[in-house]
Amino acid sequence: MKKYYVVWKGRQSGIFESWPQAEAQVKGYPNAQYKEFTSLAEAQQALQGRYQDYAASPTSPKQPQLRTAPPPLLPSLCVDAACSGNPGLLEYRCVELRADGEAWNCAARGAILGREIFRRGPFVQGTNNIGEFLAIVEALMYCQESGCDWPIYSDSVNALAWVRAKKARTNLRPTEANAPLFARVARAEAWLRQHTYPNPICKWQTEHWGENPADFGRK
């Protein structure tokens, strides 16, 4: 049976003839309003009305359901890295993320992206995983020095695992050119072995919250 998806509130409102098209408008969008209909006429009529008038009405049991995630903890720190090549020219940074009023929307849609705490690089012959690892650890160093216990978010599963292991499990080989980068890695590993910290280290949920606010925008 042909289905139509009405989006009242999303990245783009309107009627969409496939779930992937509608999902692109509502997935990760705060408080999205959408519903499935089985006829175009019904969908057109619904779009002219209010979502609240249709939200409580019965829907098809096969209507796709989005998994939602609670918003990120605020205030917090976000870290990310960018590497041109693998290995290649590496940079990484840390930024503040603060609340904007009562509602959470994601950095590009309402939250306040605060000051850049630090930016490192460029380093030659680096990898993205190393940059993500160093960004987390140096954010922890910053928090200890400033007495800050904010959560730290990264979208790198590998870097989060390396921090838990207190070891950068990289396959990158040291060279004379990337010696300064490996010196930072050694310092970060030593710091993790010698210190504890109260900061939660969390995975940034890109699929629900949008792009990491510390992203360099080079994808």
Side-chain angles (χ1 to χ4, degrees):
M1 182 182 294
K2 179 72 174 179
K3 296 180 181 179
Y4 302 87
Y5 301 89
V6 175
V7 176
W8 287 270
K9 183 179 179 182
R11 295 178 181 85
Q12 180 179 342
S13 60
I15 298 172
F16 300 87
E17 297 188 4
S18 73
W19 172 240
Q21 291 176 332
E23 183 182 33
Q25 312 309 318
V26 300
K27 187 173 183 179
Y29 193 93
N31 303 313
Q33 297 177 355
Y34 66 100
K35 188 175 175 64
E36 171 192 298
F37 295 89
T38 56
S39 75
L40 179 59
E42 187 179 13
Q44 290 172 332
Q45 181 179 359
L47 184 61
Q48 301 304 313
R50 302 183 310 156
Y51 167 73
Q52 291 79 3
D53 296 332
Y54 295 87
S57 62
T59 60
S60 166
K62 296 182 180 180
Q63 179 175 354
Q65 297 294 320
L66 289 174
R67 292 183 300 169
T68 59
L73 300 170
L74 299 176
S76 54
L77 298 178
C78 295
V79 299
D80 204 1
C83 191
S84 301
N86 186 32
L89 203 61
L90 171 67
E91 295 180 84
Y92 58 91
R93 70 174 186 149
C94 172
V95 300
E96 288 180 344
L97 190 63
R98 297 178 178 272
D100 180 9
E102 298 180 357
W104 159 253
N105 272 313
C106 177
R109 301 192 299 273
I112 297 176
L113 183 61
R115 63 193 174 97
E116 185 177 74
I117 301 299
F118 61 76
R119 181 187 291 244
R120 308 288 190 242
F123 300 97
V124 298
Q125 294 184 13
T127 66
N128 198 68
N129 281 334
I130 287 179
E132 300 265 13
F133 170 75
L134 289 174
I136 297 172
V137 180
E138 292 185 27
L140 287 170
M141 294 177 180
Y142 164 81
C143 287
Q144 185 184 70
E145 293 170 358
S146 58
C148 172
D149 61 357
W150 292 359
I152 298 172
Y153 285 96
S154 169
D155 58 15
S156 172
V157 173
N158 287 336
L160 293 168
W162 291 2
V163 170
R164 289 192 296 270
K166 304 180 181 182
K167 178 71 175 177
R169 293 170 173 165
T170 179
N171 293 323
L172 183 66
R173 301 184 64 175
T175 66
E176 183 178 349
N178 63 24
L181 188 61
F182 272 92
R184 285 182 171 270
V185 170
R187 184 186 68 159
E189 292 173 338
W191 190 93
L192 289 172
R193 291 192 299 268
Q194 297 165 8
H195 295 82
T196 59
Y197 47 87
N199 310 75
I201 309 297
C202 309
K203 174 69 168 60
W204 181 262
Q205 303 293 329
T206 306
E207 65 273 23
H208 297 290
W209 305 334
E211 196 60 71
N212 183 334
D215 182 72
F216 284 79
R218 300 175 186 171
K219 294 182 177 63

